[in-house]
Amino acid sequence: MPGVIFVIVGRCWRKHFSLSRGKLKMLGSLFAFYQKYYSVIFIFTIVLLVAFAWSQRFIQDDAFISFRYAQNFINGEGLVWNSNERVEGYTNFLWTILISGGIISGINPITCAYLLGLIFFTISIITTYKTSRLLFETKEMSFIVMLLLGLNYTFLSYATGGLETQMQTALLILGFYFTLKITIGSNFEHKYLFVTSILFALAILTRLDSGIVILLLTIFIGNKIFSLNFPARIKIRYSLFLTAPIMIIVGSWLLWKLSYYGNILPNTFYVKASAITSPLKGLKYVSTFIFSYLLFPISIISIFAVKSIFKNKISHIILLCSLIGLWLAYVIKIGGDFMEFRFFVPIMPFIFILFGWVIFYFIKNRIYQWVLTFLILSGSVHHALTFALDKDERIEPIHNLHNHLFAEDENWSGIGKSLHQYFNHVKNMTIGVTAAGAIPYFSELRSIDMYGLNDRYIAREGAVTGITPGHQRMSTFNYLVNRGVNLVIAHPKILKQCEDAGCYLPSLPSNPNDRITQTKVVEIPIDSIYKFLALYLTPHAEVDSIIEQNQWKVHLISQK
């Protein structure tokens, strides 16, 4: 089918776009202008891509988990979710530290995350260009690769979002760039090896799963060192410059985690590793990405190109393919993600560099090259205009992630602010949430993360309720009672003020030993139009007083 499309487009191109002498002269003038002002065009393109990324900015609920840890850190309570509870519920240590620095400097964490994300987005696209130059040797091809990546809707959207996604991406592509710089020309200088090792360490401190890429890059450089005709002492010295910094930095960090949290791995690992994951769900996640971005033709061609790459032993492209394959295997194994293709972003520079090689080196026909380039660009537009919530696969579009926080009929940020307004002065107040980002952050109340990402017990012993990554386990009703949770917001239920709440109860796992209790559902206003429902679980005198003073509606219910 792709071949038929290429033939049809090729014939149309020859029929309607054959170059006359006048057209050739005009193209020659444009090319001369391009060559003369290339630097200006390049800088202008970067500025436009960053501006485009800024225009698509958003923030997601999970970002506020890091913000809460950062806020507690600068308040002197340590890197904790709740005071005096040492649980590593974040997976982005270095990003959380940077956000802490921004808050100390007086910058709002959302603004800080936006600025940092855009900086790392810029680093990512420029480094992708420079990496392509090392492989392709022509600035035109490299420029196209950078442009295709920078205009990818998912990639530019995750320039913001509030998470460490672009920071991890920038560090990984920088690590790959320095790997090529060292190995292509055998530049085994101490400074390059040292800088590369530092970059590798920073990537792992940003997210532990960066180790998948870092391990392969380290092995590749190490293999190059020991394959060359160097004296043994020089090989050992080079190896030390490559491995010592990362071992010291990452080793010290892991020892600190062990002493501070009691575990080397983050609490989130135990949520995911001890519950069900679905490789089939991961495969659907990958295939949805490919088809939504119209990447099926180039993906099929790339598979055939890989055979040629391995046959001809093109080592650096083999490394590129191996990195992509290993990362995709990891994404499939963990069952993908519920956020719109966030886990593709760290590997996207590598994917687009491979696409560039396939288009400009593997494919010889110029018309087919431009057809594929146009198809990739069209795919980004197609995805941005058509991608919607898949209720079966639970892949949430970016606009959905943003709307959770600010849409008037969800407004998780507004719920958090309302809880802060009414209950922040109440001592020993505890809430239970599944939306464990903006609500706990803005409320500043002691919170139980009902999915267990920030709760040691639920992560290991919570009821298994699904296979959505990060949402496999759930707190039981009895656990919330035992922890003294006063209000359970769970996944927020929003109603207009004129609506009757009825007898709404958040769905919680239970067991035969759960005791029967009569409790209440309270309607708490967000503003003059909307209210949210909270299960009033553990009685509290001050909470009773606030409910009475504000004359909130209360519904009696029975719960097993």
Side-chain angles (χ1 to χ4, degrees):
M1 188 64 183
V4 175
I5 295 172
F6 293 163
V7 169
I8 293 172
V9 173
R11 286 177 179 174
C12 292
W13 181 281
R14 282 192 292 270
K15 182 178 179 180
H16 298 288
F17 296 96
S18 57
L19 295 177
S20 63
R21 197 174 286 180
K23 288 179 180 178
L24 284 171
K25 187 176 180 180
M26 183 182 69
L27 285 174
S29 299
L30 288 173
F31 184 74
F33 177 85
Y34 164 78
Q35 291 284 3
K36 184 177 180 180
Y37 296 104
Y38 178 77
S39 297
V40 175
I41 293 170
F42 182 84
I43 294 171
F44 184 67
T45 302
I46 296 295
V47 172
L48 282 180
L49 290 175
V50 172
F52 196 16
W54 172 252
S55 72
Q56 301 300 312
R57 66 192 178 276
F58 78 105
I59 196 78
Q60 61 202 80
D61 192 59
D62 282 32
F64 288 87
I65 295 176
S66 295
F67 298 169
R68 181 173 168 101
Y69 276 91
Q71 187 66 60
N72 285 337
F73 180 60
I74 67 168
N75 288 343
E77 297 175 4
L79 279 170
V80 295
W81 173 251
N82 291 318
S83 297
N84 302 316
E85 293 181 22
R86 293 188 176 184
V87 180
E88 187 187 5
Y90 58 91
T91 55
N92 48 15
F93 172 77
L94 199 54
W95 177 257
T96 302
I97 295 300
L98 288 179
I99 295 296
S100 301
I103 297 174
I104 291 172
S105 302
I107 305 174
N108 179 282
I110 298 177
T111 304
C112 181
Y114 281 165
L115 292 175
L116 288 172
L118 289 169
I119 289 170
F120 286 115
F121 170 77
T122 306
I123 293 171
S124 295
I125 57 177
I126 292 176
T127 308
T128 299
Y129 170 81
K130 292 176 72 66
T131 304
S132 301
R133 285 294 302 270
L134 287 176
L135 291 171
F136 302 153
E137 299 178 351
T138 66
K139 58 187 179 183
E140 289 78 21
M141 294 177 185
S142 304
F143 184 85
I144 291 172
V145 170
M146 180 190 75
L147 198 61
L148 292 175
L149 174 66
L151 289 174
N152 180 275
Y153 177 77
T154 296
F155 191 80
L156 67 88
S157 294
Y158 279 104
T160 54
L163 288 175
E164 74 293 337
T165 311
Q166 275 295 346
M167 182 178 181
Q168 181 187 24
T169 306
L171 290 169
L172 290 180
I173 190 61
L174 276 169
F176 184 61
Y177 169 74
F178 275 92
T179 298
L180 296 185
K181 196 171 183 66
I182 290 168
T183 56
I184 285 179
S186 297
N187 288 319
F188 293 100
E189 296 183 29
H190 296 150
K191 62 180 180 181
Y192 287 134
L193 292 167
F194 181 79
V195 169
T196 302
S197 187
I198 295 294
L199 287 170
F200 288 176
L202 295 179
I204 291 174
L205 263 63
T206 302
R207 269 190 74 93
L208 261 177
D209 56 12
S210 298
I212 296 168
V213 173
I214 299 309
L215 178 62
L216 201 54
L217 293 178
T218 304
I219 291 172
F220 186 82
I221 298 173
N223 181 63
K224 286 289 184 179
I225 290 173
F226 283 95
S227 66
L228 295 174
N229 189 24
F230 291 151
R233 60 182 178 81
I234 293 178
K235 291 180 181 180
I236 293 172
R237 189 167 72 229
Y238 285 158
S239 299
L240 285 174
F241 269 88
L242 175 66
T243 59
I246 188 173
M247 290 176 66
I248 292 170
I249 295 171
V250 175
S252 300
W253 175 57
L254 294 178
L255 287 173
W256 170 78
K257 292 213 300 176
L258 186 61
S259 64
Y260 192 78
Y261 294 115
N263 292 285
I264 288 178
L265 296 173
N267 193 61
T268 52
F269 168 81
Y270 297 95
V271 175
K272 298 174 182 179
S274 60
I276 302 168
T277 59
S278 171
L280 181 60
K281 188 178 179 68
L283 277 170
K284 289 182 179 179
Y285 179 81
V286 172
S287 64
T288 302
F289 172 81
I290 291 171
F291 282 100
S292 184
Y293 274 105
L294 307 181
L295 295 176
F296 180 71
I298 185 66
S299 299
I300 294 297
I301 295 169
S302 297
I303 291 172
F304 286 104
V306 167
K307 295 181 180 179
S308 173
I309 291 165
F310 278 86
K311 182 179 179 181
N312 295 307
K313 298 181 179 180
I314 309 172
S315 62
H316 293 95
I317 307 300
I318 290 175
L319 174 63
L320 190 65
C321 295
S322 301
L323 290 170
I324 295 169
L326 198 60
W327 187 269
L328 291 181
Y330 159 68
V331 171
I332 291 169
K333 173 63 177 66
I334 64 174
D337 189 35
F338 72 93
M339 300 181 199
E340 181 189 323
F341 306 129
R342 178 174 66 105
F343 277 4
F344 269 95
V345 175
I347 207 68
M348 272 192 191
F350 303 86
I351 291 173
F352 277 85
I353 291 171
L354 177 62
F355 285 169
W357 187 91
V358 170
I359 291 171
F360 297 115
Y361 284 87
F362 181 72
I363 297 174
K364 305 301 181 183
N365 187 294
R366 184 60 60 87
I367 293 174
Y368 291 173
Q369 290 175 350
W370 285 110
V371 169
L372 280 173
T373 302
F374 179 75
L375 188 62
I376 293 172
L377 282 173
S378 301
S380 186
V381 177
H382 174 267
H383 173 81
L385 294 177
T386 64
F387 189 71
L389 176 65
D390 186 330
K391 293 183 178 179
D392 294 327
E393 299 306 318
R394 294 298 303 169
I395 303 174
E396 290 200 57
I398 284 169
H399 60 82
N400 276 41
L401 298 173
H402 186 76
N403 287 344
H404 288 324
L405 298 177
F406 304 109
E408 61 181 12
D409 58 346
E410 292 186 88
N411 200 4
W412 294 355
S413 61
I415 292 173
K417 291 172 183 177
S418 293
L419 289 169
H420 182 274
Q421 175 187 346
Y422 292 114
F423 300 108
N424 186 246
H425 65 283
V426 178
K427 293 182 178 180
N428 301 318
M429 173 82 177
T430 304
I431 61 174
V433 290
T434 56
I439 294 174
Y441 173 79
F442 284 114
S443 71
E444 298 182 16
L445 296 172
R446 183 171 176 269
S447 305
I448 301 300
D449 179 354
M450 293 165 61
Y451 281 138
L453 298 175
N454 297 283
D455 188 286
R456 193 182 303 274
Y457 176 83
I458 299 171
R460 293 160 177 79
E461 305 295 336
V464 177
T465 58
I467 61 173
T468 301
H471 298 74
Q472 295 104 319
R473 288 191 177 272
M474 182 79 164
S475 63
T476 61
F477 182 79
N478 250 8
Y479 181 72
L480 297 179
V481 172
N482 293 335
R483 290 296 304 270
V485 173
N486 304 109
L487 295 178
V488 179
I489 292 94
H491 199 81
K493 177 71 173 179
I494 305 294
L495 299 172
K496 284 191 174 181
Q497 295 283 15
C498 59
E499 295 177 358
D500 185 8
C503 294
Y504 170 81
L505 177 68
S507 178
L508 299 172
S510 60
N511 59 58
N513 296 321
D514 285 349
R515 55 183 175 272
I516 297 175
T517 181
Q518 188 176 64
T519 188
K520 307 171 183 178
V521 168
V522 183
E523 301 181 17
I524 303 175
I526 302 173
D527 51 36
S528 60
I529 300 175
Y530 289 94
K531 58 191 174 183
F532 69 95
L533 305 180
L535 175 65
Y536 187 14
L537 194 59
T538 302
H540 191 295
E542 288 187 70
V543 174
D544 288 335
S545 176
I546 292 168
I547 292 172
E548 185 177 349
Q549 287 174 11
N550 291 281
Q551 298 182 338
W552 292 338
K553 288 186 179 180
V554 177
H555 305 267
L556 293 177
I557 59 171
S558 293
Q559 167 69 37
K560 287 189 177 182

